[in-house]
Amino acid sequence: MAYLSLYRKYRPQTFSEILGQEHVSRTLANAIDEDRVAHAYLFTGPRGTGKTSTARILAKALNCANGSTSEPCGKCDSCIAITEGSSLDVFEMDAASHSGVDDTREILAGVALATAGGRKKVYVIDEVHMLTTQSFNALLKTLEEPPDHVVFVLATTEAHRVLPTIVSRTQRFDFRRVPADVTEVHLASVAKQEGIDIESTAVALLARHSEGSLRDALSILDQLSSFDRKVEDADVEALLGKRDEETFIELFEAIAREDVGAIFQAIQTFVAQGADMRQLADDALEHVRSLLLLRTAPDAEGLLDVPVEDRPRLLLQAEQFTTGTLLRTLDLIGQSVIEMRNAPNHRLLLEIALVRAAAPDTDPSATGLLGRIERLERRIGITGAESAAEAHSPGPAGEAASPRAPERLESPAANAASPSVPPSKSNTPSRKRQAPASSTGGAGEASLPASDSKRSGASGDDASTAEPERQVAKAAPSNAGMVGLADYKDAWAATLKEVNRASKRVGAYLFSSRPLRLDDDVLVVATQSDFHARQMKQENNREIFAGALHAALGVRPRVDFVAPDGQVDEPEPTAESDASDLAESQTVAPKSDDPIELVKRGFAAEVVEEKSR
C-alpha cells in the first residue's frame, strides 16, 4: 500500500475532531440536528485550518445512512465514498485550475438533476476567489435559489476577493489560526501513535513555526520523522531555517545600544546558518511586536506567542526601548518586507532597515528626524511623552512633581540659588537659563522656559518673579541653540506644512523658501523675492512662522528673512529680541554640538558621577 502523508492520515472525520474551530463545528452541528441547514456556506480563513475538511464532514453528516446527523458513522457506504473522494453526490472543484466560465457552467449543468442515492448534492468549490467575474455571474443565480437537494460550500483564503453579491447569498464562517498549544498537543499525540521520537521542546518549536496551520505542522512532522532517529531542537532549526533565539536577542540588544557593527555581525550569523531573509524579517516583526506588548501591556501575556522561558529575557529587553523607537522599528522592517517583493537583494534591504532603526541619523525621512529628536531628549534628560503623566502627577502635598533631570549632571549655580529647597527640587533644573546679574531677581535666579513656568509657581517660588507663560516664552526661546542648520533643513517640509495649516497666505509667502544659514542664533531664511521677505518680516506673519517651526522642531529661534541676493537686513527691534539678546549676552556659545557639553557649558555644570543604564 502506498505511503499516506500524516496530514491526510489524520484528517478530521467528525465535527468533534476539528481542532481550534469550535465556533464553526458547534454551529454546523446544531444546524444539522435542528434541520436548519442553509443552501450555501462560505468558509474563509488561513491555509491548513480545516475549511475543506469541514466541508467534507458536512457532506457526510447530510448523507449518512443513519440519517442527517451531526455525528456521521464513517462506516456506511456514503461516508466511506465521501472520505475516499468517490461519492457521486459530492462534487469538488478547484477554482484555481477551473476558473473559466465554461468550467462553471459545466459543473452547474447537473444541479437540477436528482441525487445518486444520497439526500443532498454538495458542491465544494475550493479557492473560490480565483473565479473570474464571468464565472461569478454564472454562479450567482443558481447560488441564490438552488434546488432543495443542493448545498454549496465555497472555501477561500481571501474572502475580500469574493464578490459582495456572492457573499451576501451565503452564511459566512471565519476559520481562525489554530493556537500553538492546541497544535502542540495534537503533534505530540500523532508522534506517539506513529512512533516518532521527538523532544517536547522540538514539538513546541514546530508548533510555533506552523503559524496556526495544522496541516503545515503535520507536514513538517512527517518530514522530520525521516530526518533522524530522535528529533531535537537543533534538527528543527536546521530543517526549517529558523532563527537562533540567542542570536536574535543579541541582534536587538545591538539595536538598543546603537551598535551598527554588531547588527552586521548578527545578520552574518543568520546567513551562515542558512536563514531566509524574508523569514528573518517576519521573525523580526514578531519579535518587535512582543517587545511592544511587554513595553505597553506587560500583563497581557495571553497576547504573546512566545515560550514561557523566553518571556523574562524579552521583558528585560523591552525596557531598553521606548514605545516610539519600537513603532519606528516596526515601520522600517515592515517597509523592507514590502520592498523585498520586487528586489533581488533581500539581505541588503533588511540590513538598511535595522541600521536605520539603531541609528536615526542615517534615516533621512521624517520618522528618522523624530528618532533623532527623541535621542537628544533622552541624552539631555527630557523624558518625553511617555513620562509626561508622571512628571505632572500631583505629589503628596498636591504639588506638581518635578521633571526628571539627568542623574550625572549637577548645577552648582542652581543649588546655590535655592539652598532651602529640598533635594528633590534642587536637582530639577536641566533646562533653566541663567539670567544676567543685573536682573531683578538677582544673579542666582533663572529664567524658565514656557513649559516650566507653571511648575515654578506650583513649587512655591516667589510670586513676584513668576511671569505669565507667554512673556516667559518670549524671554527665553533659546533651546534653538541646540539645533543646527541641518536640523532646520530636515524639518523644513514639516514646518511649511504647519504654516499652510495655520495660514494659506503666509504659506504662499514662504513658497520656494529655504533655511540659508545661522548667524549667531539667528536663523536666516531665503525667500522667493524682496516682496516675500518684507511680508514675512511683519509681526503677525513672523508669529505664525515661529509657531509652525515650534510645532515641527520644538524651538523658537530668532528669524530673519532675506531676498534671493542673500543680504541680511537688521531684524526689527522687538521686546522679544531685546530680552533674548540680553539673555544670550550672558551665555558663551558652546563650540561643541554634543548635547551634554551644551548643558555643561550653559549651566556651569560638571559631571560628578556616571551611571550605566
Side-chain angles (χ1 to χ4, degrees):
M1 181 178 179
Y3 178 74
L4 195 63
S5 300
L6 292 183
Y7 80 87
R8 296 179 60 191
K9 185 176 181 180
Y10 290 93
R11 169 172 271 171
Q13 301 298 327
T14 62
F15 286 120
S16 60
E17 294 179 4
I18 300 176
L19 300 178
Q21 314 298 339
E22 288 76 11
H23 62 292
V24 176
S25 57
R26 185 184 306 168
T27 303
L28 291 176
N30 292 338
I32 293 172
D33 291 338
E34 298 173 5
D35 194 21
R36 300 179 60 181
V37 178
H39 67 277
Y41 293 96
L42 175 63
F43 293 166
T44 178
R47 69 182 190 280
T49 52
K51 298 185 294 297
T52 306
S53 297
T54 302
R56 292 182 179 180
I57 294 173
L58 176 62
K60 287 196 294 183
L62 295 174
N63 292 315
C64 182
N66 295 334
S68 295
T69 174
S70 59
E71 298 180 358
C73 64
K75 299 179 181 179
C76 63
D77 293 340
S78 176
C79 290
I80 293 175
I82 294 175
T83 302
E84 294 177 350
S86 58
S87 174
L88 298 178
D89 291 326
V90 178
F91 302 89
E92 292 191 30
M93 184 183 81
D94 180 19
S97 55
H98 300 81
S99 59
V101 64
D102 294 335
D103 297 320
T104 304
R105 288 171 178 169
E106 181 179 350
I107 195 173
L108 294 178
V111 169
L113 303 178
T115 64
R119 298 180 187 85
K120 297 283 187 179
K121 294 178 73 172
V122 181
Y123 287 83
V124 181
I125 304 179
D126 201 8
E127 301 298 335
V128 68
H129 64 272
M130 299 295 291
L131 291 179
T132 63
T133 303
Q134 293 79 5
S135 298
F136 274 127
N137 292 333
L139 177 64
L140 189 59
K141 188 61 179 178
T142 304
L143 189 66
E144 183 177 12
E145 297 177 356
D148 293 338
H149 62 276
V150 173
V151 174
F152 281 93
V153 180
L154 313 180
T156 178
T157 57
E158 302 180 34
H160 62 279
R161 296 178 58 183
V162 181
L163 291 183
T165 52
I166 296 292
V167 177
S168 64
R169 289 164 170 79
T170 64
Q171 286 190 10
R172 173 171 172 168
F173 288 90
D174 290 292
F175 286 68
R176 304 164 184 164
R177 296 184 184 274
V178 182
D181 55 344
V182 176
T183 303
E184 185 176 346
V185 172
H186 185 63
L187 291 176
S189 175
V190 171
K192 183 177 181 180
Q193 296 180 54
E194 293 294 321
I196 301 174
D197 189 3
I198 182 172
E199 293 182 348
S200 58
T201 53
V203 173
L205 182 60
L206 196 158
R208 295 199 306 274
H209 182 272
S210 64
E211 298 181 349
S213 174
L214 205 57
R215 183 179 63 214
D216 289 358
L218 289 172
S219 297
I220 297 171
L221 179 63
D222 198 359
Q223 189 175 359
L224 287 170
S225 64
S226 303
F227 190 80
D228 205 347
R229 294 183 178 180
K230 182 177 182 178
V231 181
E232 301 177 350
D233 292 359
D235 300 327
V236 179
E237 295 282 357
L239 182 64
L240 303 180
K242 192 66 175 178
R243 58 177 171 81
D244 177 53
E245 189 68 24
E246 293 296 326
T247 309
F248 211 81
I249 291 180
E250 290 177 1
L251 171 63
F252 277 85
E253 287 180 350
I255 295 176
R257 65 176 183 267
E258 303 180 1
D259 189 347
V260 176
I263 293 175
F264 285 105
Q265 291 292 340
I267 295 296
Q268 178 58 36
T269 302
F270 288 124
V271 172
Q273 294 173 352
D276 178 72
M277 289 296 107
R278 287 288 299 271
Q279 181 64 45
L280 183 59
D282 291 340
D283 290 339
L285 289 174
E286 185 65 27
H287 190 86
V288 180
R289 174 185 177 272
S290 300
L291 295 179
L292 184 61
L293 283 174
L294 290 172
R295 178 71 181 175
T296 57
D299 297 330
E301 295 186 356
L303 301 177
L304 291 175
D305 189 14
V306 296
V308 178
E309 60 272 13
D310 291 338
R311 293 184 181 181
R313 295 195 63 183
L314 289 177
L315 185 59
L316 290 176
Q317 190 171 76
E319 296 298 327
Q320 303 176 25
F321 293 90
T322 64
T323 303
T325 301
L326 292 174
L327 290 174
R328 188 169 58 86
T329 305
L330 278 173
D331 288 339
L332 289 169
I333 300 177
Q335 184 62 33
S336 71
V337 173
I338 296 175
E339 294 174 353
M340 286 179 185
R341 299 173 182 173
N342 301 317
N345 195 338
H346 295 174
R347 175 180 177 177
L348 179 60
L349 291 174
L350 182 58
E351 287 175 339
I352 292 174
L354 295 176
V355 168
R356 287 179 173 175
D361 52 325
T362 62
D363 187 0
S365 66
T367 304
L369 174 61
L370 292 177
R372 297 197 294 274
I373 294 175
E374 180 185 1
R375 183 170 63 178
L376 284 172
E377 289 178 343
R378 290 201 309 269
R379 295 183 65 182
I380 65 177
I382 303 176
T383 55
E386 290 187 351
S387 301
E390 179 182 351
H392 293 84
S393 60
E399 298 177 353
S402 301
R404 288 190 230 165
E407 296 180 357
R408 55 182 176 178
L409 292 179
E410 183 179 272
S411 177
N415 291 338
S418 304
S420 61
V421 178
S424 61
K425 296 180 181 179
S426 63
N427 291 334
T428 301
S430 189
R431 287 174 289 171
K432 296 182 180 179
R433 295 183 57 92
Q434 295 181 355
S438 60
S439 62
T440 305
E445 294 185 357
S447 175
L448 294 176
S451 60
D452 294 338
S453 61
K454 294 183 179 180
R455 286 198 293 271
S456 66
S459 60
D461 290 344
D462 188 3
S464 63
T465 62
E467 296 180 341
E469 182 177 352
R470 177 178 55 83
Q471 296 178 1
V472 175
K474 289 186 176 182
S478 54
N479 271 349
M482 300 179 182
V483 180
L485 183 60
D487 298 315
Y488 288 114
K489 291 181 178 179
D490 289 340
W492 197 247
T495 302
L496 295 183
K497 184 177 180 180
E498 293 292 337
V499 170
N500 281 283
R501 185 178 301 173
S503 172
K504 297 291 185 182
R505 176 179 54 84
V506 178
Y509 293 152
L510 291 175
F511 180 75
S512 298
S513 63
R514 69 186 189 280
L516 190 60
R517 61 181 176 271
L518 283 173
D519 289 343
D520 295 332
D521 288 344
V522 177
L523 174 62
V524 180
V525 178
T527 58
Q528 190 175 12
S529 66
D530 293 333
F531 169 77
H532 295 86
R534 288 195 303 271
Q535 293 297 322
M536 285 307 303
K537 289 181 180 181
Q538 296 181 10
E539 185 63 26
N540 57 340
N541 296 341
R542 190 189 295 268
E543 284 296 328
I544 292 175
F545 174 77
L549 187 59
H550 183 270
L553 197 56
V555 296
R556 289 180 179 270
R558 290 184 296 156
V559 184
D560 189 27
F561 298 92
V562 299
D565 57 6
Q567 296 297 326
V568 184
D569 296 333
E570 290 296 328
E572 299 177 2
T574 61
E576 175 182 355
S577 61
D578 291 343
S580 182
D581 288 339
L582 186 60
E584 290 296 323
S585 64
Q586 303 298 322
T587 304
V588 179
K591 297 180 179 180
S592 173
D593 290 333
D594 184 70
I596 302 301
E597 293 297 325
L598 290 171
V599 175
K600 289 169 58 180
R601 292 175 180 272
F603 300 104
E606 61 179 355
V607 178
V608 296
E609 183 180 3
E610 292 188 3
K611 295 183 179 180
S612 59
R613 296 186 177 181

